[in-house]
Amino acid sequence: MGALSRIELVRALAELRRERTRGTVVYYIVLAAFLLFLATIPVCGATQTLLARAHHLRPASTVSWSIGQVVPKMYSFSHRVWRDYQPPDAFGPARWINHYPGRLIRSEWDRANVVGRGKDIYLLVRTGYLGRRWVTRYTVRVHDGGLVVEAAEERP
Amino acid sequence: MSALPATNVRMFRIVAAAWLVGWFWKAWDYAGYYLDEVWSYPLHYAGLPRVLVHPALATVAWLAPVLVVGAIVVPRGWTLRAAAILMTLAAFIGCIHIETCADATFVTSFWVGVWLVWFTANAKRDDASLYMHARVLAQLTIGLVFAGGVIGKLTGAYASGEALFHLYFVQKPNWPYSALRESLDPQTLYVVAKWFSRVTIVIELVLAAMPLLPFRIAAIGAIVVMVGMVVVSTWYLLSVMACLIGLLVALRFSTPR
């Protein structure tokens, strides 16, 4: 305990045991729960799939989306995207994306050009982590001055 | 008159100001996007609830933290609490709305917002226990952010350097990557990318372990590393890091030992 007590986290938890201030206890529990969630990523397929689906903007539910979105995942998993005016295959040069490859459906800062051209866009997104793969195909249709997006999971 | 301890007001001001700098760091780009493009050319997507695709929610959430300036100027107990709740709520919407969800700015802003909600709820205290928990909870927050990054990189594409080779050394247009592409052959460039990737993983691992390190040294180290990440990557990254840096600066330089 002597060496451990030099760690401020250990002293803070001991102090918390004495004080039992409810809000502070809840805050520690929330942080511990999210750290535990992160620790499961390399070993739990369900956690990996939840995060991969978040990267693809294709959550299983609003609850899983909300939880997955506050989980820090910068430069996390590997993501490649193929984008074309016709449905692409996963061959040839791909664009690598640091995180959230699904964001390319938004055509940020280029939507005026995309809508102006009036041509539908197709994307194939492939995400990998520890030997597993998740693939989503997107169709971005130009419709009525905006973009209508459809997403479908594809077996890797 | 404010009945709050001067130390706590100063800490709130530093963290909130840094948070706002990060939040609006890319305003030059985002103003046109959130105020014009998402309205002129709306996106329709059935994969998320309609409210999380509607442009109004993204625009309001992005603009609302301007009100936090009021709490910085007029620091009362209730203005600080209201500001912290507003910041956290706006950041949470930023995390889950389709037009904003891909930006890590909102994730770090959310977690620092949660810290501010806790801190402002305790802002009338000035005992040693408060500042100890403030430091430890901030360390856990930094640890959480970098644990997410490093655990997501424990995969072949990052261990081999392939992911960062493409993301930085092939695709990034800015210096030093443009200069490296011109001066090195592809094989050498790949070796540099491999070691760059491995060093990144080690640094993130150390930052993830921050809750176990002595605060005063770890805070300085983390600030230096985060500023370094901004310089090595892109100045846009300051939007993600500013609130974390502000949190550590406030605790390192403004609280009693």
Side-chain angles (χ1 to χ4, degrees), chain A residues 57-59 61-62 65, chain B residues 45-53 96-98 101:
Chain A
L57 315 186
R58 200 170 44 72
S61 70
T62 308
W65 172 249
Chain B
Y45 179 51
L48 291 173
R50 191 173 291 184
V51 67
L52 298 182
V53 182
I96 62 174
H97 193 283
I98 194 165
C101 65

Side-chain angles (χ1 to χ4, degrees), chain A residues 3 18 22-23 46 75 85 87 103-104 132 134 136 143 147 151:
Chain A
R18 194 181 61 75
R22 200 187 306 165
Y75 287 83
Y85 289 113
R103 72 175 187 256
L104 295 194
R132 293 188 70 196
W134 297 264
T136 300
H143 176 73
L147 303 176

Side-chain angles (χ1 to χ4, degrees), chain B residues 183-204:
Chain B
S183 58
L184 299 175
D185 62 77
Q187 287 81 5
T188 311
L189 200 60
Y190 196 94
V191 172
V192 173
K194 180 174 76 178
W195 287 105
F196 179 80
S197 190
R198 290 176 181 179
V199 168
T200 301
I201 289 171
V202 170
I203 288 173
E204 286 196 339

Side-chain angles (χ1 to χ4, degrees), chain A residues 8 19 57 106 109 129, chain B residues 37 45 98 111 129 135 151:
Chain A
E8 198 166 27
E19 295 174 339
L57 315 186
R106 301 186 312 205
W109 298 291
Y129 185 72
Chain B
E37 192 167 310
Y45 179 51
I98 194 165
W111 285 106
S129 173
R135 285 191 296 270
I151 292 170

